[in-house]
Amino acid sequence: MIHGRSLFPIVASLIIIHLSGATKKGTEKQTTSETQKSVQCGTWTKHAEGGIFTSPNYPSKYPPDRECIYIIEAAPRQCIELYFDEKYSIEPSWECKFDHIEVRDGPFGFSPIIGRFCGQQNPPVIKSSGRFLWIKFFADGELESMGFSARYNFTPGKETERIVFYLLIHSLNVHKGRGLGQVEARSLKPNPGPPHCGRT
């Protein structure tokens, strides 16, 4: 016959084992959630004064199995210039098929491609033709490196330059009262189409 007092240690032990297992599962779920959050990287940025973004852990080695998307947005009638720091290293491969940086001229992953970069030589200065640049950093599961640091700023688009030039000429001609000059100024009115910056 089993007395009530004899059952208490057994029941208590079972409860402790159950709670321990539940805590372990909860910890595993929390760890998994934190890991998933840490894998996410990239940003959509449009700071008026420009800014800097880097690969994860830069200047230490970036972790494996990452894909980071950075989208830079300029104000209307502005374009973007992107500079990569000389302290740059991404696993080299033929046609940069493994770890790489991919830059596209627009806000989407299907926008026209400007270039794909890897290796030890930092990319040249990149200029957008409009308001957006789409940048992807991809790292596979092997051979991590230092990564990159990139700086961007904004420049007036060609249409903005034409408008400023038009206003300047118009102001000068109004001041001088030259009719012919006023006609020439009117001929410089900007095309209402999208801004064009040109790029390298």
Side-chain angles (χ1 to χ4, degrees), residues 161-178:
E161 293 176 0
R162 286 170 60 87
I163 290 171
V164 172
F165 183 65
Y166 163 73
L167 292 175
L168 177 62
I169 295 296
H170 182 71
S171 175
L172 290 173
N173 288 332
V174 167
H175 178 70
K176 293 180 180 179
R178 296 180 180 176

Side-chain angles (χ1 to χ4, degrees), residues 62 89-94 96-99 118-120 143 145:
Y62 51 79
S89 178
I90 293 176
E91 176 195 357
S93 61
W94 177 252
C96 298
K97 289 183 177 180
F98 302 124
D99 298 2
C118 62
Q120 309 302 317
L143 299 178
S145 240

Side-chain angles (χ1 to χ4, degrees), residues 54-62 87-89 145-149:
T54 69
S55 54
N57 296 341
Y58 181 88
S60 299
K61 288 185 177 181
Y62 51 79
K87 294 180 179 179
Y88 169 96
S89 178
S145 240
M146 173 170 49
F148 71 91
S149 174

Side-chain angles (χ1 to χ4, degrees), residues 49-118:
E49 302 302 321
I52 295 173
F53 60 95
T54 69
S55 54
N57 296 341
Y58 181 88
S60 299
K61 288 185 177 181
Y62 51 79
D65 299 316
R66 293 295 174 96
E67 183 173 290
C68 311
I69 305 296
Y70 308 88
I71 300 173
I72 304 174
E73 178 184 355
R77 300 189 180 278
Q78 286 192 330
C79 297
I80 305 160
E81 290 184 347
L82 182 64
Y83 304 85
F84 286 89
D85 195 281
E86 291 181 358
K87 294 180 179 179
Y88 169 96
S89 178
I90 293 176
E91 176 195 357
S93 61
W94 177 252
E95 296 182 343
C96 298
K97 289 183 177 180
F98 302 124
D99 298 2
H100 62 264
I101 297 171
E102 185 174 295
V103 183
R104 291 182 177 268
D105 192 18
F108 306 111
F110 54 81
S111 298
I113 189 166
I114 294 176
R116 179 179 282 197
F117 310 98
C118 62

